[in-house]
Amino acid sequence: MNYKRYLKYGSRILYKRGASPIYFVFFVTDFCNARCKHCLLAEHNPTAKERELTIDEIERVSASMDDMLFFTPTGGEPFLRRDLAEIVRIFHRNNHAANVGIPTNGSLTARVVETTKDMLETCPGLDLHIDVSIDGIGERHDAIRQFPGLFDRAIRTYKELRLLEKHYPNFSTCVEITVSAYNQDHLLELYDYLTQQVGVNTVFTLLTRGAPRDPGAKNFDIRKYEELHAVLERDNKARILSGYYKMPFSDFLNAKRIVRPRIIAKTVRERRFQIPCYAGSLGGAMFSEGQVLPCELLIDKEIGNVRDYDYDFKKIWYSPKADEVRRYIRDTRCFCTYECFLTVNILFNPLVLPSVVKEWGALKWSKFKHWIKGGAEPAGVLTLSTDDR
């Protein structure tokens, strides 16, 4: 494990002035073969295929950027771009992206598996994880995603990706549940199915946000979200779930995943700011046509388009307009429940880190007790001969 790739960003815990994105979300395509009721970009006008940034354009943008810790190519359905592996290679080569996480609806099993193998074979040392979305069992999932047969495809994709874990020590896959009004009453049933019937060893959630295609998706009861996370926390500490287990500081990130839903739930309950947001400084986003934003939810705060700046990302990021947007985020105490940027908001906030350290200690202690008792690995965890995540 290469800890140095992660540790070099430690100074950003205390000093953020002049920062470039260390968490970068790139919507590589707007297109998707599902029509999820909870889709947060339903009101975003899809870019025509011919208007998406080309590989050559992406190369120029990436070459103008600094190194980054987390890179998330998303969509739409990111695997609909046949050059997805090349996009990841570009950011791995130019920006030394240490950790790449890619969400998928799991509909394109063969392409997902082959693209994943391609990335792993051609990006040495990359910590890669694929998140397969599963929101319900059988027809319930298909109805939420408005894609008949998607549940079976997603399960098949997940199982095929788990097989790859045996061969690639820097790769893992997990299940991502998007919590909405349409599955909140069945979350524990879904969790039991995933762990007991499918052998899932890592589960995390997204909470419906933004302006979903079906506004009713946001009429959720936050207590149901908290009930699921109480079970996830219990099972992570009991070693029933493994959480992250193949990357540097994996338990620290697992601890962050215990703290994060608490902040999210409190944000929803109180409908107000909880911790500072580093969107526009440590976090940044780019849409498929080259629009640069502080985050995907602030669509009305577009900073600029790389095509208008000769593909020089820094010209946009350090422009007066960008400074104005950062002031807006700071002065209005902008808040939301966006999990990706909450990751940097938590990990790089010295006032929140003690809570993460506390949970990290609890996880380490539970692992130690489990080891003393000679406990087996969590169900579904693949035993590897190399350092594991």
Side-chain angles (χ1 to χ4, degrees):
M1 293 189 184
N2 191 340
Y3 287 87
K4 291 181 180 179
R5 291 187 302 155
Y6 291 77
L7 286 172
K8 72 178 186 177
Y9 300 98
S11 63
R12 288 303 181 190
I13 295 174
L14 298 175
Y15 186 75
K16 299 172 179 66
R17 185 177 296 276
S20 61
I22 62 174
Y23 200 129
F24 188 59
V25 179
F26 178 22
F27 290 78
V28 297
T29 183
D30 292 337
F31 285 87
C32 190
N33 50 4
R35 292 185 57 80
C36 305
K37 294 180 179 181
H38 54 248
C39 180
L40 80 157
L41 291 179
E43 292 187 355
H44 175 61
N45 293 323
T47 297
K49 283 283 187 182
E50 59 270 19
R51 290 294 299 164
E52 292 178 350
L53 291 174
T54 66
I55 281 293
D56 289 341
E57 290 176 307
I58 293 169
E59 174 76 53
R60 293 177 67 184
V61 174
S62 170
S64 74
M65 300 179 71
D66 290 331
D67 286 359
M68 59 188 65
L69 177 55
F70 299 106
F71 174 55
T72 298
T74 185
E77 169 52 46
F79 285 91
L80 284 174
R81 276 200 71 144
R82 293 184 178 274
D83 55 4
L84 178 61
E86 180 58 26
I87 293 173
V88 170
R89 278 192 289 273
I90 286 171
F91 282 90
H92 179 256
R93 179 176 63 248
N94 291 342
N95 312 106
H96 305 103
N99 187 293
V100 173
I102 308 176
T104 178
N105 63 28
S107 60
L108 306 168
T109 302
R111 188 183 300 181
V112 170
V113 172
E114 288 307 310
T115 302
T116 300
K117 290 170 65 176
D118 188 1
M119 290 184 285
L120 290 166
E121 294 287 348
T122 58
C123 298
L126 177 70
D127 290 320
L128 176 68
H129 53 101
I130 307 295
D131 306 325
V132 181
S133 295
I134 301 178
D135 304 323
I137 302 172
E139 293 181 357
R140 179 173 292 113
H141 176 73
D142 296 350
I144 292 171
R145 298 267 166 173
Q146 300 192 74
F147 188 138
L150 182 57
F151 174 77
D152 290 337
R153 293 193 189 193
I155 293 293
R156 187 181 312 118
T157 299
Y158 173 80
K159 289 182 175 180
E160 290 293 326
L161 289 172
R162 285 302 305 278
L163 293 177
L164 288 185
E165 290 189 9
K166 298 179 180 179
H167 307 289
Y168 299 97
N170 295 332
F171 172 66
S172 64
T173 187
C174 68
V175 166
E176 168 187 297
I177 302 172
T178 301
V179 176
S180 72
Y182 299 110
N183 65 355
Q184 63 179 1
D185 294 325
H186 307 279
L187 293 173
L188 297 182
E189 174 191 358
L190 172 60
Y191 172 71
D192 287 344
Y193 178 88
L194 291 172
T195 53
Q196 297 175 21
Q197 301 299 318
V198 185
V200 172
N201 64 332
T202 306
V203 178
F204 77 99
T205 67
L206 299 176
L207 191 61
T208 299
R209 62 187 185 277
R213 174 172 285 111
D214 185 340
K218 291 186 73 174
N219 296 329
F220 50 75
D221 183 345
I222 196 62
R223 293 175 297 179
K224 303 296 180 65
Y225 171 87
E226 291 175 304
E227 287 174 1
L228 173 60
H229 273 283
V231 173
L232 295 180
E233 179 178 337
R234 179 199 70 195
D235 287 357
N236 271 289
K237 290 180 176 178
R239 297 291 294 144
I240 294 172
L241 292 175
S242 67
Y244 286 124
Y245 66 102
K246 279 189 172 182
M247 61 185 291
F249 305 105
S250 56
D251 274 335
F252 205 76
L253 290 175
N254 289 331
K256 177 266 301 179
R257 279 193 174 175
I258 292 174
V259 173
R260 188 174 63 185
R262 297 174 186 170
I263 294 174
I264 289 173
K266 191 174 182 182
T267 300
V268 172
R269 288 182 182 280
E270 299 181 2
R271 297 184 180 181
R272 66 178 181 88
F273 171 98
Q274 301 296 328
I275 60 175
C277 181
Y278 303 137
S281 57
L282 299 185
M286 184 168 68
F287 283 161
S288 62
E289 198 174 334
Q291 311 97 313
V292 176
L293 303 96
C295 93
E296 63 190 47
L297 295 179
L298 294 177
I299 296 178
D300 61 336
K301 300 296 180 184
E302 180 181 329
I303 304 172
N305 192 301
V306 293
R307 284 173 169 156
D308 299 328
Y309 288 79
D310 196 29
Y311 304 98
D312 190 332
F313 183 88
K314 288 183 179 179
K315 284 184 179 179
I316 298 175
W317 200 249
Y318 298 118
S319 66
K321 179 62 180 294
D323 290 337
E324 176 187 324
V325 170
R326 282 187 280 270
R327 282 195 300 272
Y328 168 84
I329 293 171
R330 182 185 66 245
D331 294 346
T332 63
R333 294 162 68 87
C334 191
F335 69 91
C336 68
T337 63
Y338 182 25
E339 288 84 357
C340 289
F341 283 6
L342 274 172
T343 291
V344 289
N345 295 347
I346 292 169
L347 294 178
F348 291 86
N349 186 325
L351 299 180
V352 182
L353 276 177
S355 297
V356 181
V357 171
K358 178 182 177 182
E359 296 303 335
W360 172 80
L363 287 171
K364 286 296 187 184
W365 177 243
S366 68
K367 282 190 174 183
F368 177 73
K369 291 192 295 183
H370 186 79
W371 176 74
I372 288 293
K373 294 177 180 178
E377 286 298 310
V381 174
L382 302 175
T383 302
L384 303 174
S385 59
T386 60
D387 289 339
D388 58 9
R389 183 171 176 171

